[in-house]
Amino acid sequence: MNLIALGGVIGAGLFVGSGVVIENAGPAAIVSFLIAGVITLLIMRMLAEMAVARPVVGSFYVYAREALGNRAGFSVGWMYWYFFVIVVAVEAIAGGRILQLYLPSAPLWILSLGLLVILTCTNLVSARSFGEFEYWFSSIKVIAIVLFLGLGALWITGLWPDSTPGVANLVSNGGFAPLGWGAVLAAVVPCVAFFTGAEIVTIAAAESAEPKKAVARAMRSIVVRIITFYVGSIFVVVAVVPWSTEAVGVSPYAAALSALHIPGVATIMNIVILTAVLSCLNSALYTSSRMLFALTRNGDAPRMFTHLSRGGVPRRAILAGTVIGYASVVAAFVSPDLVFSFLVNSYGAVALFVYLMIALSQVALRKRLEAQDPSALSLKMWLFPWLSYATIGLMGAVIAAMAVLPTTRSQFWLSVMTLVFILIGYEFRRRSRAGAEPQGTVPAAEEASATKPEAEQLVGVSAREQL
């Protein structure tokens, strides 16, 4: 469970995308990642409180539905599903591009499709199969980052051959914040997006033997480790290499390793980045399928996706996500500047919307649990309710900044368009259900409960009562 949580966050965004943040904020990108990490830590603590008290299939989709109403639950569930099916396509294409460096004669769409098919088959076998693959993918990423931090420490302390000890690069190229503190705060927006994925542990926990213990153990320490990996590795990059170096913007880790004269640095980084891409692709397939499965329980998605295999795997839900992934891969080659560009930009702020809803749900459910079942609150949000309100304010500020910053404005508005389409879908669903329940029919809620034996195969023993 710890490695699943790590794997959900440590992706190509850290190994490649962090270079853009360094370009936009200078060495003070360390501060940007630290602020984003603190915000993520608070959100995950709020989610952990709810997940430990109520471990259910669907996690925050269920919490939003209970706390804020059916419309909110429907929106959160479908936004999250949409986010990860687009991630499936993006990661498949990214992986294909890396493979093409070594197989230049192979068409990119064939390589991307091959990766998607392989990991789809892995997820179709069993949840254990997903867990095994993610364990090894995450292990490779964690080992790579730990080694990187160790090598950086040797360089900074002067123990590495021909090194330039010290941290003079933090201030010697225009100062610590050469582009101003406004740029540092603006860089928090993409940094928060990089941390997206830590919440996967609360979804995966439902299929563990002891979901409450699994979430509590993972969430108590995992975000602190993630912050350490992100902030620590960015610190090493800007301490070893001048932040304005062109190579830092392209691949910051490769730039730092090149400065250390590590042989075969390009191949090493390509292997690590490919592993990160496959890990995120694996997690996205798993997460999107489980969220779609959860949506069926309240009639928020077609009941056909409720069906499980003998091993308790929602195969139809997995295949639904991959169909969108296949279509997106095709769009990337048929219409890269129009259709695929729209898809990529239309999910940019969606995860942030979900995080805001998680925070709002925690405030409402915490008050309800304190009144109805205080014993369930074995893991609590710190300094409730004031720190919860502060977290909501911080997330609101990040989203507002995304709406006004030139580099993220288009992503924000296209993500709002995505939300509007989902809300329209809810209205169609609500009206169709209202007009489709004549006398003698079974209400949708009762139909969902009829699938309980199937659903029980999907979750751990201690979570079954929640269904």
Side-chain angles (χ1 to χ4, degrees):
M1 294 301 297
N2 283 321
L3 285 169
I4 287 173
L6 281 171
V9 179
I10 302 172
L14 171 61
F15 295 111
V16 180
S18 56
V20 177
V21 177
I22 295 172
E23 277 189 330
N24 293 333
I30 299 168
V31 177
S32 301
F33 275 101
L34 184 59
I35 294 172
V38 170
I39 294 174
T40 306
L41 173 64
L42 295 173
I43 293 288
M44 291 305 107
R45 182 72 182 193
M46 298 171 83
L47 178 56
E49 177 187 282
M50 295 184 288
V52 171
R54 300 271 328 263
V56 293
V57 175
S59 185
F60 41 86
Y61 152 67
V62 177
Y63 307 141
R65 197 172 190 275
E66 293 182 359
L68 306 174
N70 295 344
R71 181 180 284 102
F74 182 94
S75 300
V76 165
W78 280 109
M79 278 194 295
Y80 199 70
W81 180 84
Y82 180 78
F83 176 85
F84 272 104
V85 294
I86 301 302
V87 168
V88 166
V90 171
E91 299 295 345
I93 291 166
R97 285 175 176 159
I98 295 172
L99 289 178
Q100 200 173 40
L101 296 173
Y102 303 96
L103 300 169
S105 60
L108 181 57
W109 71 271
I110 289 289
L111 297 174
S112 299
L113 187 63
L115 292 176
L116 191 51
V117 169
I118 290 171
L119 289 179
T120 298
C121 292
T122 299
N123 275 266
L124 288 174
V125 174
S126 67
R128 180 179 294 277
S129 178
F130 155 76
E132 287 291 338
F133 269 76
E134 195 56 34
Y135 174 85
W136 290 108
F137 285 150
S138 298
S139 296
I140 292 171
K141 291 188 290 186
V142 170
I143 291 170
I145 293 176
V146 170
L147 288 174
F148 181 79
L149 292 174
L151 293 173
L154 293 175
W155 175 276
I156 292 169
T157 57
L159 298 177
W160 187 262
D162 301 321
S163 63
T164 305
V167 291
N169 281 331
L170 295 180
V171 294
S172 62
N173 296 279
F176 184 63
L179 302 175
W181 286 100
V184 175
L185 294 177
V188 172
V189 176
C191 290
V192 172
F194 289 156
F195 283 109
T196 303
E199 72 287 341
I200 292 174
V201 69
T202 65
I203 297 174
E207 294 184 75
S208 66
E210 297 178 309
K212 290 187 178 182
K213 290 184 178 180
V215 171
R217 288 173 184 167
M219 299 302 277
R220 280 194 177 105
S221 61
I222 203 65
V223 180
V224 175
R225 295 177 190 174
I226 291 167
I227 294 173
T228 301
F229 286 159
Y230 267 86
V231 176
S233 57
I234 298 302
F235 172 81
V236 167
V237 169
V238 295
V240 171
V241 186
W243 71 273
S244 55
T245 303
E246 185 178 352
V248 171
V250 177
S251 182
Y253 286 72
L257 291 175
S258 294
L260 271 64
H261 306 292
I262 301 293
V265 62
T267 300
I268 292 171
M269 285 312 304
N270 283 334
I271 292 172
V272 172
I273 294 170
L274 179 61
T275 301
V277 164
L278 294 178
S279 174
C280 288
L281 176 56
N282 193 40
S283 295
L285 286 168
Y286 174 86
T287 306
S288 62
S289 65
R290 269 48 178 189
M291 185 56 70
L292 184 55
F293 176 88
L295 283 161
T296 65
R297 292 181 52 234
N298 298 295
D300 288 336
R303 286 195 60 211
M304 61 178 289
F305 297 118
T306 306
H307 178 74
L308 299 175
S309 68
R310 291 183 178 180
V313 176
R315 290 180 174 174
R316 293 177 183 176
I318 292 172
L319 292 174
T322 58
V323 167
I324 303 297
Y326 297 141
S328 300
V329 168
V330 172
F333 305 111
V334 175
S335 181
D337 298 326
L338 183 62
V339 178
F340 189 70
S341 177
F342 168 79
L343 290 173
V344 170
N345 285 294
S346 67
Y347 87 124
V350 164
L352 303 184
F353 295 159
V354 172
Y355 274 18
L356 180 60
M357 297 298 283
I358 288 173
L360 293 170
S361 300
Q362 185 268 338
V363 172
L365 282 184
R366 170 66 177 268
K367 293 177 179 179
R368 190 177 304 172
L369 285 169
E370 286 180 336
Q372 299 175 357
D373 189 14
S375 62
L377 294 168
S378 57
L379 188 151
K380 297 182 179 180
M381 174 60 178
W382 308 295
L383 301 176
F384 182 83
W386 306 114
L387 194 53
S388 293
Y389 293 146
T391 305
I392 292 170
L394 287 170
M395 278 306 306
V398 170
I399 293 172
M402 193 171 188
V404 299
L405 291 173
T407 56
T408 56
R409 191 181 298 141
S410 62
Q411 293 183 25
F412 172 81
W413 289 110
L414 287 174
S415 297
V416 169
M417 188 183 300
T418 301
L419 176 57
V420 169
F421 278 120
I422 290 172
L423 290 173
I424 292 172
Y426 173 79
E427 290 303 317
F428 276 111
R429 172 257 191 195
R430 183 178 62 83
R431 293 181 182 182
S432 64
R433 287 183 64 182
E437 291 182 355
Q439 292 184 356
T441 61
V442 180
E446 293 181 19
E447 288 185 2
S449 67
T451 66
K452 183 176 178 180
E454 290 180 332
E456 285 183 341
Q457 299 174 54
L458 184 61
V459 297
V461 174
S462 58
R464 290 177 181 169
E465 294 180 0
Q466 302 298 335
L467 296 176

